Amino acid sequence: MHELFDKALGAYLGFAIGDALGATVEFMRPREIEVQYGVHREIIGGGWLKLARGQVTDDTTMSLALGSALLQGGQRDLQRFADGDDALLRSIGRAYVLWFKGKPVDCGNTCRRGIMRFMHEGTLAGAYNPGDAGNGALMRNLPAVLATLGRDADFIRLSIAQAHLTHHHPLSDAATLGIGELLRQLLGGASQGECQSWAAQWVSENPAFRFVPYRGRATAYVVDTVQTVLHYLTLHDDFETALVATVNQGDDADTTGALLGMLAGARCGAGALPQRWLHRLHADIVRSITDQTSGLLALSG
Ligand code: MN
Ligand code: MN
């Protein structure tokens, strides 16, 4: 249990570190980053969002919103969800609305549209939309993985259901489940070699995400995001090396950084995260993440 907690906390804190580090260079091209920073490797804030040093963005705060809804509903709502009741999804929808009304520092267009739709129509999913292949549903799924650990069917249903509140596209679904499953493997103690074999097998079943040879695209299109994350995760065993390489690819760097940080953080555990980055995160975020990690693991039983 102690080892699982360390890995789960490593994933959630690694996620926030990747968000805070990557946000400085979000939407920049790799060459622009090189000119401005050489290699970008410190959490300094700034970027197009003019962040404070150590501030996280929508990736982390929206994940915390999902986590809080899961914790609020507790075991009872999770069990009802498994039995086909939608009360839990409604409270997740309300948590996203509350998050949105709190004027987050950023909100993706597809997330905004889905949250507005839920607010005004009360529907839990939009129709299939060819424009919904962004990474916004994938990016916030970590709490759903933790809350359903050890329960395969609930993991799949909850991940897809929370995703469809804002994103309804088969590539978003495949990415959310794929990266979620890889996180489960790493929380279960998968080695770097096992991680590489898992990724190779998964892309052979989901060829849209093939990342060898790596095309060097790191946009918010979920295919580009997943390719970037898998490329650097399988290339580098070390958390810091993998994360620095990822965010210096630019573009949607806070989100690729967050997802890489999540997977690499699960691989190494919270105890092995670079201290100088951990200390830069704001104390309230670290506290929320730590509380949610215990709570969500307890929920999973
Ligand atoms: Mn963001
Ligand atoms: Mn982003």
Side-chain angles (χ1 to χ4, degrees):
M1 181 58 201
H2 185 262
E3 197 190 332
L4 174 61
F5 178 75
D6 182 57
K7 286 182 169 295
L9 186 62
Y12 216 153
L13 290 173
F15 184 92
I17 285 174
D19 183 7
L21 181 71
T24 304
V25 294
E26 190 181 21
F27 300 135
M28 291 175 73
R29 305 292 310 145
R31 258 183 223 90
E32 294 176 289
I33 298 172
E34 204 184 319
V35 167
Q36 196 163 340
Y37 299 102
V39 177
H40 173 59
R41 54 170 75 249
E42 301 304 332
I43 295 178
I44 53 172
W48 74 281
L49 292 170
K50 302 187 175 14
L51 299 167
R53 190 169 69 169
Q55 193 177 352
V56 293
T57 76
D58 52 331
D59 305 63
T60 303
T61 57
M62 208 177 185
S63 299
L64 287 168
L66 172 59
S68 71
L70 293 171
L71 288 167
Q72 207 165 42
Q75 204 67 63
R76 195 192 57 176
D77 275 13
L78 259 182
Q79 188 53 52
R80 285 181 177 173
F81 174 75
D83 296 339
D85 185 282
D86 64 12
L88 179 60
L89 272 183
R90 297 202 170 278
S91 46
I92 294 171
R94 284 194 300 271
Y96 292 162
V97 169
L98 203 68
W99 169 81
F100 184 68
K101 287 185 168 168
K103 303 206 189 319
V105 65
D106 189 21
C107 178
N109 291 330
T110 310
C111 284
R112 180 182 293 109
R113 200 183 54 224
I115 291 168
M116 296 293 229
R117 190 210 65 247
F118 172 76
M119 245 164 80
H120 295 130
E121 298 164 23
T123 45
L124 296 169
Y128 161 76
N129 184 337
D132 282 7
N135 59 22
L138 158 69
M139 94 186 172
R140 63 175 184 250
N141 200 46
L142 186 160
V145 173
L146 295 187
T148 59
L149 215 53
R151 298 199 307 271
D152 295 2
D154 290 351
F155 155 65
I156 293 170
R157 281 195 51 232
L158 182 58
S159 298
I160 295 298
Q162 82 75 14
H164 282 192
L165 277 162
T166 58
H167 289 64
H168 194 162
H169 194 285
L171 288 171
S172 165
D173 292 352
T176 302
L177 291 181
I179 295 296
E181 180 55 33
L182 181 52
L183 174 58
R184 285 156 52 96
Q185 299 287 326
L186 290 165
L187 291 170
S191 65
Q192 172 70 335
E194 287 163 337
C195 171
Q196 289 162 338
S197 326
W198 186 93
Q201 176 64 33
W202 184 73
V203 296
S204 78
E205 292 157 11
N206 298 272
F209 298 97
R210 227 179 256 143
F211 58 94
V212 182
Y214 177 53
R215 298 178 307 144
R217 297 172 57 105
T219 74
Y221 175 45
V222 74
V223 169
D224 292 350
T225 302
V226 168
Q227 286 177 340
T228 298
V229 169
L230 291 181
H231 170 69
Y232 287 116
L233 184 78
T234 54
L235 189 64
H236 301 296
D237 198 6
D238 174 62
F239 180 92
E240 180 167 342
T241 311
L243 183 55
V244 166
T246 301
V247 299
N248 281 274
Q249 198 63 52
D251 247 322
D252 198 8
D254 63 329
T255 307
T256 57
L259 290 168
L260 185 288
M262 170 183 86
L263 296 167
R267 192 168 61 192
C268 70
L273 294 173
Q275 291 293 308
R276 73 178 200 285
W277 285 344
L278 205 47
H279 290 148
R280 281 276 176 267
L281 292 179
H282 293 180
D284 58 329
I285 291 290
V286 173
R287 200 173 321 112
S288 301
I289 285 176
T290 308
D291 290 349
Q292 283 204 1
T293 302
S294 326
L296 291 166
L297 285 180
L299 262 188
S300 79

